[in-house]
Amino acid sequence: MERQVAAINRTPAEEGMPCPDVPTYAGDDLGARPDAEGTAFRVWAPTAAGVTLRLFAAGSPAEAGGAEPAETHELVPSEGGTWLVRCEGVGHGVYYDYVVRFPDGTVNRTADPWARAAGVNGRRSMVVDLRRTDPDGWGHDRRPCVPANELVIWETHIGDFSNDPHSGVPAEHRGRYLAFTHADTTVDGEGEFPTCVNYLHRLGVTAVQLMPFYDYGSIDESLPADDPARGFNWGYDPLNYNVPEGSYSTDPFHGEVRIRECKRMIQSLHAAGVKVIMDVVYNHMFSADNWFERMVPGYALRRRADGTLADGSGCGNDVATERAMMRRYIVESVAYWAREYHVDGFRFDLMGLIDVDTMNAVRAALDELPDGASILMHGEPWSARSTALDPAADVVLADKRGLPYLDPCIGAFCDSTRDAVRGHVFYQKVPGYLSGAADDFAVDIRHAEDAWRGTPHETAGVGQVIQYVSAHDDLTLWDKLCATMRGMPSDADYAADGPACDDLMAANRLAAGIVFSAAGVPFLLGGEEFARTKRGDADSYSSPASLNRLDWRRARRLRSLAGHYASLIRLRRGNPAWFGGPRTVVPRNDAVVVFLVGGDCVAVNPTDEARMQLTVELETPEPYGELERIDPGAWTCVYCSAGAGAGNGQVGKGSDEARVRGRALVLPPHSFTVWRRTRR
């Protein structure tokens, strides 16, 4: 019945070509699988006329002895459209690729789509004995146990995290996996202000979401890190899905090094009590000319009815996730990262291009793993453009229309909250609640605080709602505030330098207060908590590393703002009701937002003047319909973002301005306050 409903409501799309009629393979041994005597190589190439395996001593032609194959072997046809060969005496550290021949005379050289290791720049695959890549103590590594109500997600890029020369990380590890293995770093190594993992511990975040760290295609790994020709990229251009990115390793030329160092990164974050969420991009690839299409032309990517490539990703190609072997690949790939690398969660880029059946199959596969139910899944419930689908296939994509068909343990980013708080994402100067349009958006903020429950925006359970105001895409929160509140921001505005920026700082504090007090899962872009700027660059995916990296001296200078975020995290983690408890919104006819949750009263005053909240309006129903009478004096301000001491991270200390006056709570201008009552 559910699938019939889904079919009726299938995702609108351009008319696409049907799936090629080819056999599928059900075995679990695709790729190169070594044992004590040799290695079995199996590939799925159902339309090929022949497949040749080439073995090399090095991972690229430029390396010594790497130009010509040391051996070649012909694969033989096997079940389910696969080809197979076993090579005795071939094992860990041998590099390989395939030459695939087709009946029309086409010949394609390709790496192995199912490879788990690769040489420099990922053009050749590598046979790997994964047990030889485990760091010391890997067998004892465990996922941190973080209750849902304590989950706080902080997003970063592996390079951004430590590229700053003032990060305190040794130069040879900056921008690399091993930066995460240094637990006690400080700004310039002076021992005064924490950076990197040390900083995460101080801030209190419980999960780090890492932008893509599978092997991607836009960086030349063979060049030194300081070579301008090497470039910078976020990594949303997959090349080898099951291989870690080589540019983050200390030695990209030897395929096992990146694997071991990636595991050490995850192990170190786990030791700090921090979950690791991997940003994955299964909706498109680096190029339409990829290993899948070279191995099985016409299968992996969606095509319009006229044969042209669909482009719902805005990146030139869309993966046909609804096709059996691509679905299977995605499911096995995610499960592989969870099982082999102990990854704690997955964020799906442009999830709106992935069909709901594939997403649900991924969830089911993760649930089958030991402790698999604790593995997180969430994604972007949208696409860049319309894709192309076979009308006869009844495909439902995991966009906002498809969210009701997803497993309830799959979350989605809430752009409704983001745009209400800061203003429209695509129109940089259009304000939101905190940047000039408080009266227009007050009702939306009240809904956002309750995860939009009971509104047309409610498409998922509260645990599925990722609440945020900034991520790697689009303007940072600080830059958006500069754009809306300044129009033409100055250098001083971007620098958050001096009292002239006090209004921007107050808005940033309020934005954080709204997100962290809202029902759902709070998420922030790394550095948002110290007014991170990219100087108005809304799409810095390939901008210089110097623009993208976290500025740890800025974090030290703006420590009071970071302290505000740390206080909010402590408040949230200290009151489980903040995660999913119902909000009782106090009716008001102004821009101030006041609500009750878990015994707390939370108030957001974005205006230029102090406002009052009558305590009689905070009395709550008791059994049999009576009202619980609360002595006005029983309310105490336990946190205030405004006034003296704001942002010093002291939960339990309010402000002299936030106090009880008669039968009312005084809400200072531009303040986020939390009030708690004591029973007498």
Side-chain angles (χ1 to χ4, degrees):
M1 179 63 182
E2 182 175 318
R3 290 304 300 145
Q4 292 176 356
V5 173
I8 293 170
N9 295 293
R10 62 180 177 266
T11 304
E14 298 179 74
E15 183 177 351
M17 296 180 67
C19 178
D21 183 16
V22 294
T24 59
Y25 181 62
D28 62 356
D29 59 346
L30 287 166
R33 301 300 175 95
D35 55 37
E37 287 76 38
T39 299
F41 297 84
R42 186 188 292 272
V43 296
W44 181 68
T47 59
V51 181
T52 302
L53 168 70
R54 304 194 304 173
L55 303 178
F56 298 88
S60 72
E63 296 175 74
E68 297 298 325
E71 301 177 27
T72 61
H73 300 268
E74 288 299 314
L75 282 73
V76 298
S78 188
E79 66 265 30
T82 64
W83 297 75
L84 175 67
V85 68
R86 178 173 175 82
C87 300
E88 302 299 334
V90 172
H92 177 85
V94 172
Y95 294 89
Y96 68 98
D97 66 11
Y98 294 104
V99 176
V100 187
R101 303 181 298 280
F102 296 92
D104 65 357
T106 300
V107 178
N108 290 341
R109 187 213 72 83
T110 178
D112 184 355
W114 287 271
R116 296 177 172 181
V120 66
N121 287 324
R123 266 56 182 181
R124 285 180 185 168
S125 306
M126 190 190 94
V127 179
V128 61
D129 177 354
L130 289 166
R131 298 290 65 81
R132 294 171 64 173
T133 68
D134 292 346
D136 292 342
W138 185 244
H140 300 291
D141 180 68
R142 296 292 180 270
R143 294 190 175 91
C145 181
V146 178
N149 62 281
E150 294 192 24
L151 186 61
V152 177
I153 303 173
W154 189 86
E155 181 190 36
T156 193
H157 175 279
I158 289 174
D160 294 354
F161 189 66
S162 59
N163 268 335
D164 183 1
H166 302 282
S167 67
V169 172
E172 63 272 19
H173 291 168
R174 289 179 200 149
R176 296 190 164 108
Y177 299 119
L178 294 184
F180 292 82
T181 66
H182 299 275
D184 300 314
T185 55
T186 57
V187 173
D188 289 324
E190 295 173 351
E192 189 263 330
F193 187 83
T195 65
C196 300
V197 173
N198 192 14
Y199 171 84
L200 295 179
H201 178 74
R202 176 86 63 90
L203 186 61
V205 299
T206 52
V208 167
Q209 181 170 296
L210 296 173
M211 293 165 70
F213 58 91
Y214 50 66
D215 189 42
Y216 56 86
S218 53
I219 299 297
D220 188 346
E221 300 171 357
S222 68
L223 298 177
D226 58 357
D227 189 326
R230 188 190 202 205
F232 173 90
N233 207 278
W234 283 346
Y236 292 87
D237 47 356
L239 184 64
N240 294 293
Y241 279 109
N242 295 333
V243 179
E245 166 61 16
S247 66
Y248 299 141
S249 73
T250 60
D251 180 4
F253 292 92
H254 293 87
E256 71 278 7
V257 175
R258 63 180 75 185
I259 299 175
R260 183 179 301 109
E261 293 180 350
C262 182
K263 289 178 176 179
R264 287 188 62 191
M265 172 185 71
I266 295 168
Q267 183 182 40
S268 298
L269 284 166
H270 285 176
V274 178
K275 286 180 173 286
V276 177
I277 300 172
M278 182 181 190
D279 196 335
V280 290
V281 186
Y282 292 107
N283 66 83
H284 74 274
M285 299 184 208
F286 176 50
S287 169
D289 179 20
N290 54 70
W291 311 145
F292 294 93
E293 286 286 316
R294 290 188 184 188
M295 191 74 73
V296 191
Y299 186 84
L301 303 179
R302 292 178 184 144
R303 287 172 168 80
R304 303 182 184 93
D306 63 3
T308 58
L309 289 167
D311 190 20
S313 65
C315 298
N317 64 88
D318 299 344
V319 174
T321 63
E322 68 278 8
R323 295 180 179 174
M325 289 300 288
M326 296 312 296
R327 174 179 295 155
R328 177 192 166 175
Y329 183 90
I330 293 168
V331 171
E332 291 182 352
S333 177
V334 174
Y336 170 70
W337 281 100
R339 184 178 61 251
E340 182 64 32
Y341 288 86
H342 304 177
V343 171
D344 305 283
F346 298 88
R347 178 265 190 192
F348 289 80
D349 180 71
L350 297 184
M351 185 173 69
L353 287 174
I354 304 173
D355 66 285
V356 296
D357 289 339
T358 295
M359 291 299 299
N360 288 335
V362 170
R363 181 70 265 174
L366 293 177
D367 288 343
E368 291 176 359
L369 298 176
D371 195 29
S374 71
I375 299 174
L376 306 169
M377 279 182 67
H378 55 262
E380 297 177 299
W382 51 73
S383 60
R385 302 168 184 163
S386 176
T387 189
L389 299 170
D390 177 7
D394 293 332
V395 175
V396 178
L397 298 180
D399 56 13
K400 292 181 182 180
R401 291 163 296 197
L403 291 181
Y405 304 112
L406 287 179
D407 184 289
C409 290
I410 301 174
F413 286 89
C414 184
D415 57 339
S416 298
T417 295
R418 177 198 65 199
D419 289 354
V421 173
R422 56 180 262 173
H424 199 287
V425 68
F426 295 127
Y427 303 97
Q428 294 189 358
K429 298 187 184 302
V430 172
Y433 178 69
L434 298 177
S435 51
D439 290 325
D440 294 337
F441 285 98
V443 172
D444 286 333
I445 298 303
R446 294 178 184 118
H447 290 316
E449 289 287 4
D450 201 33
W452 302 90
R453 286 179 281 198
T455 76
H457 291 286
E458 181 186 16
T459 54
V462 65
Q464 295 172 274
V465 180
I466 307 297
Q467 300 275 30
Y468 78 115
V469 288
S470 67
H472 66 272
D473 279 323
D474 312 308
L475 291 176
T476 68
L477 172 61
W478 186 262
D479 287 353
K480 175 65 174 178
L481 294 174
C482 286
T484 53
M485 297 172 69
R486 292 292 187 270
M488 296 293 290
S490 67
D491 288 342
D493 292 327
Y494 285 133
D497 188 16
C501 293
D502 285 352
D503 58 335
L504 297 169
M505 196 64 65
N508 194 313
R509 287 195 179 102
L510 293 187
I514 291 169
V515 168
F516 281 94
S517 62
V521 177
F523 172 102
L524 68 154
L525 171 66
E528 175 191 312
E529 72 280 6
F530 50 83
R532 184 177 183 181
T533 182
K534 297 181 185 178
R535 302 187 65 82
D537 189 339
D539 191 18
S540 64
Y541 75 99
S542 61
S543 298
S546 57
L547 180 72
N548 281 282
R549 68 193 181 200
L550 294 178
D551 183 344
W552 290 109
R553 289 186 300 174
R554 184 183 180 100
R556 179 177 62 185
R557 177 168 60 85
L558 300 177
R559 67 178 70 193
S560 65
L561 180 58
H564 170 59
Y565 277 74
S567 296
L568 294 172
I569 291 172
R570 282 195 291 274
L571 281 164
R572 185 178 182 90
R573 294 179 65 180
N575 190 340
W578 282 32
F579 167 66
R583 271 67 175 161
T584 301
V585 176
V586 179
R588 295 183 64 103
N589 59 6
D590 61 3
V592 174
V593 173
V594 179
F595 62 92
L596 299 169
V597 57
D600 289 344
C601 174
V602 177
V604 183
N605 179 8
T607 72
D608 295 332
E609 59 187 27
R611 296 292 171 94
M612 310 293 282
Q613 174 57 57
L614 295 177
T615 58
V616 68
E617 296 175 342
L618 306 180
E619 295 175 350
T620 55
E622 286 287 278
Y624 310 108
E626 304 109 335
L627 284 177
E628 181 184 18
R629 303 290 179 180
I630 304 173
D631 177 1
W635 288 105
T636 301
C637 181
V638 297
Y639 188 73
C640 179
S641 68
N648 287 328
Q650 299 298 314
V651 174
K653 292 188 178 180
S655 163
D656 291 340
E657 298 178 66
R659 63 190 185 279
V660 179
R661 180 188 297 169
R663 300 180 61 196
L665 310 181
V666 179
L667 312 178
H670 302 290
S671 69
F672 172 86
T673 51
V674 180
W675 305 76
R676 197 160 288 162
R677 60 188 175 90
T678 56
R679 296 181 182 274
R680 297 184 179 180

